[in-house]
Amino acid sequence: MDMYFEKITILGVGLIGGSFARVCKKNELAKSIFGFGRQEENLRKAVELGVIDKYSLDLNEAVEQADFVLIAVPVGSILLLAEKMSSYLKKGSIISDVGSVKDSLVEKIENILPEGVHFVGAHPIAGTEHSGVEASFAELFEGSKCILTPTKLTDHETLQKVKKLWELMGSEVSFMEAVKHDEIMAAVSHLPHVAAYAITSFIFDLRHVWPDILSYSAGGFRDFTRIASSHPAMWCDICNYNSEALIKMIEQYETSLNQFKTLIKEKNWFQLEKRMSEAKTIRDGFYRSS
Amino acid sequence: MDMYFEKITILGVGLIGGSFARVCKKNELAKSIFGFGRQEENLRKAVELGVIDKYSLDLNEAVEQADFVLIAVPVGSILLLAEKMSSYLKKGSIISDVGSVKDSLVEKIENILPEGVHFVGAHPIAGTEHSGVEASFAELFEGSKCILTPTKLTDHETLQKVKKLWELMGSEVSFMEAVKHDEIMAAVSHLPHVAAYAITSFIFDLRHVWPDILSYSAGGFRDFTRIASSHPAMWCDICNYNSEALIKMIEQYETSLNQFKTLIKEKNWFQLEKRMSEAKTIRDGFYRSS
């Protein structure tokens, strides 16, 4: 399988897009890597750091003649970009994305893109709470999972090529239906983010009573709330595009939290310890074996 | 202030008790350090590791002639031990504890201990999710806070001595009323633990639908649920002894979570992003400056 591209274009050269570009560079996957974004400062830095070769603030110029276009912008901007660039795309080119939400995007993108342009939805499950090209690094995807969500329209050869690309990134690639992807992500990623924001926001309110409250927190609190330092606009987008599955998961979590509260209220320490032990066992077991 | 003790006794030579003993050793604060506990294997290991000098499974032998006794057992066993040992304690000796809950313990301990024996309630805000003497290390308390909760019965000189002791551990010591201590800890420590157990428990249930669900989780989930690997029996005790403040905090958190859910349901992205940004700002600000 030919894994060499004349021109790769990265739309959004941030943590994910930048890290992707770094691996392309390292593996010499392209003659040139082009960057596009809204913040010229970030793109200039990306060139300085050697993450991309060139950049343009003009979408047309950025994607024209590209063999591979990676849409690595926040979920809320993906459809708009797909629409704007659709008439400039080269026939036979491959388009992929890195959005954390798939069901509400993949089919729409397929409808937007012109015939002869091949799309595969992708979600690399990797990241840190930092953003911007300076936070990017070539090892970001190593050992992580990348989920591809092919549809009945997906071109087989393109799918294999995108799979291979993510394997070169160091990811373990799996295929999944977009709906299932979104429900699983709502549970293990989107819900924890909302829960962390909600707990930090609540502590924020308590500062009116105890201004120094955070100074009494320890490592547990720091780790528990780390994801509340993530990019708010990005997470609003994710909540928006995956709201149905997310609301379902928040409600199931509310039920679980309420059960714990009830056990405490009823002083049912036997059952509480049982529930806590189950949780500890599954977590310890997973992180020991992974 | 004389900070030398003939005999220091540690009841419960685990993560906290063991780390405390290690610093006592390092600073040569005692002629001998005595350990007491229920698991002989752990105590034998503590002697082997040089954390304590001697141990006994007999409480009487462990505390007799001790100048300083640190109660470092789980919250649920503190009162029982205080009761059992009270008649063996030396006149003039100092007793302290490390319980994460204070209001429901401190006054009761003061009532249990005989006259001439001085008690100061203490809570070093330090720990990891591991337990046992092998998890202990002398640097555990460095840079952490230690809260002392004196009452109107507390002997002034003893208070200063216990303060000095925790400063030698590397802690920054502050005084606080037990009730306030418990409410603050319910918010920044006990609630996050219950929330982490509840979310992990809920994911546990989802495994019936998606057996491989955890394999799609990333670093955010790992950190968010780290405290759900804490010791269940210990945390049941804490829930028990601080149930009133904890239930209040769980309810306030439920309100906050519900507000986030409502914003998502109502597609109020402006307000959602505002709440997320506030949370991020307070967290980033605190961890940048601390």
Side-chain angles (χ1 to χ4, degrees), chain A residues 198 223 226 229 256 280 284, chain B residues 198 223 226 229 256 280 284:
Chain A
D223 287 354
R226 186 176 66 83
S229 282
S256 175
K280 177 179 165 59
D284 288 355
Chain B
D223 287 355
R226 185 175 67 82
S229 282
S256 175
K280 177 178 164 61
D284 288 354

Side-chain angles (χ1 to χ4, degrees), chain B:
Chain B
M1 201 184 303
D2 180 21
M3 291 305 288
Y4 185 75
F5 302 91
E6 282 289 317
K7 178 180 174 181
I8 287 179
T9 297
I10 313 282
L11 308 180
V13 192
L15 171 67
I16 303 289
S19 298
F20 185 92
R22 282 177 192 269
V23 183
C24 291
K25 275 266 172 192
K26 221 170 87 176
N27 289 279
E28 298 176 352
L29 296 184
K31 194 167 158 192
S32 82
I33 300 179
F34 226 88
F36 167 85
R38 285 184 310 178
Q39 294 169 301
E40 187 162 12
E41 179 58 29
N42 184 66
L43 292 167
R44 203 182 291 133
K45 188 134 283 166
V47 173
E48 269 170 39
L49 292 169
V51 173
I52 54 173
D53 299 304
K54 279 175 111 171
Y55 72 83
S56 176
L57 297 170
D58 179 58
L59 186 60
N60 178 356
E61 190 189 356
V63 303
E64 75 179 352
Q65 293 307 316
D67 309 293
F68 182 84
V69 177
L70 186 76
I71 313 176
V73 298
V75 163
S77 308
I78 294 178
L79 290 178
L80 195 71
L81 274 192
E83 222 147 25
K84 276 189 177 171
M85 72 180 175
S86 66
S87 55
Y88 305 120
L89 294 170
K90 190 169 112 174
K91 206 157 178 107
S93 63
I94 297 174
I95 318 296
S96 190
D97 75 323
V98 298
S100 325
V101 175
K102 298 262 79 82
D103 188 42
S104 54
L105 291 176
V106 169
E107 274 189 50
K108 283 186 186 137
I109 298 173
E110 285 178 335
N111 286 334
I112 289 167
L113 297 181
E115 222 165 312
V117 166
H118 306 298
F119 176 75
V120 178
H123 176 209
I125 304 172
T128 72
E129 72 275 32
H130 305 295
S131 40
V133 70
E134 285 173 289
S136 70
F137 55 104
E139 297 76 23
L140 177 62
F141 307 111
E142 265 172 29
S144 70
K145 294 238 175 190
C146 182
I147 300 174
L148 304 185
T149 55
T151 69
K152 57 185 189 306
L153 297 178
T154 305
D155 174 65
H156 180 72
E157 199 191 327
T158 305
L159 181 63
Q160 293 307 317
K161 211 160 175 175
V162 173
K163 177 173 185 274
K164 178 82 184 148
L165 205 45
W166 280 104
E167 284 169 351
L168 285 171
M169 296 293 143
S171 298
E172 187 193 320
V173 177
S174 50
F175 300 153
M176 203 182 275
E177 276 187 23
V179 175
K180 182 183 167 189
H181 165 276
D182 285 4
E183 289 191 325
I184 286 183
M185 285 304 130
V188 298
S189 172
H190 309 168
L191 165 66
H193 277 80
V194 172
Y197 278 120
I199 212 162
T200 311
S201 176
F202 151 58
I203 302 290
F204 181 82
D205 292 340
L206 287 180
R207 289 201 310 170
H208 300 305
V209 191
W210 301 304
D212 58 347
I213 184 165
L214 271 183
S215 71
Y216 298 106
S217 64
F221 185 79
R222 189 193 57 233
D223 287 355
F224 187 74
T225 59
R226 185 175 67 82
I227 47 183
S229 282
S230 302
H231 199 294
M234 203 185 95
W235 278 95
C236 262
D237 278 354
I238 292 172
C239 291
N240 181 355
Y241 281 81
N242 200 21
S243 60
E244 204 179 314
L246 177 55
I247 287 166
K248 205 170 101 183
M249 293 303 165
I250 295 176
E251 279 167 357
Q252 290 188 40
Y253 173 50
E254 285 178 322
T255 303
S256 175
L257 191 62
N258 192 272
Q259 285 165 356
F260 274 80
K261 187 179 73 176
T262 304
L263 293 174
I264 295 169
K265 275 191 170 171
E266 293 173 349
K267 300 194 170 295
N268 190 341
W269 312 124
F270 176 78
Q271 198 57 34
L272 182 68
E273 190 176 335
K274 189 167 166 281
R275 290 290 297 268
M276 285 178 168
S277 298
E278 279 172 1
K280 177 178 164 61
T281 304
I282 174 185
R283 190 186 178 281
D284 288 354
F286 177 69
Y287 288 107
R288 198 177 302 123
S289 63
S290 66

Side-chain angles (χ1 to χ4, degrees), chain A residues 111-130:
Chain A
N111 286 334
I112 288 167
L113 297 181
E115 220 164 310
V117 165
H118 306 298
F119 175 75
V120 178
H123 176 209
I125 304 170
T128 71
E129 71 275 33
H130 306 296

Side-chain angles (χ1 to χ4, degrees), chain A residues 97 99-104 106-107 110 119-125 145-154 159-160 162-163 172-188 190 242 249, chain B residues 209-217:
Chain A
D97 76 322
S100 325
V101 174
K102 298 263 77 82
D103 188 43
S104 55
V106 170
E107 274 189 50
E110 284 178 335
F119 175 75
V120 178
H123 176 209
I125 304 170
K145 294 239 176 191
C146 181
I147 299 174
L148 304 186
T149 56
T151 70
K152 57 187 188 307
L153 297 178
T154 305
L159 182 62
Q160 293 307 318
V162 174
K163 176 173 185 272
E172 186 194 320
V173 177
S174 50
F175 300 154
M176 203 182 274
E177 277 187 23
V179 174
K180 182 184 166 188
H181 166 276
D182 285 5
E183 290 190 326
I184 286 183
M185 284 304 129
V188 299
H190 309 169
N242 200 22
M249 292 305 165
Chain B
V209 191
W210 301 304
D212 58 347
I213 184 165
L214 271 183
S215 71
Y216 298 106
S217 64

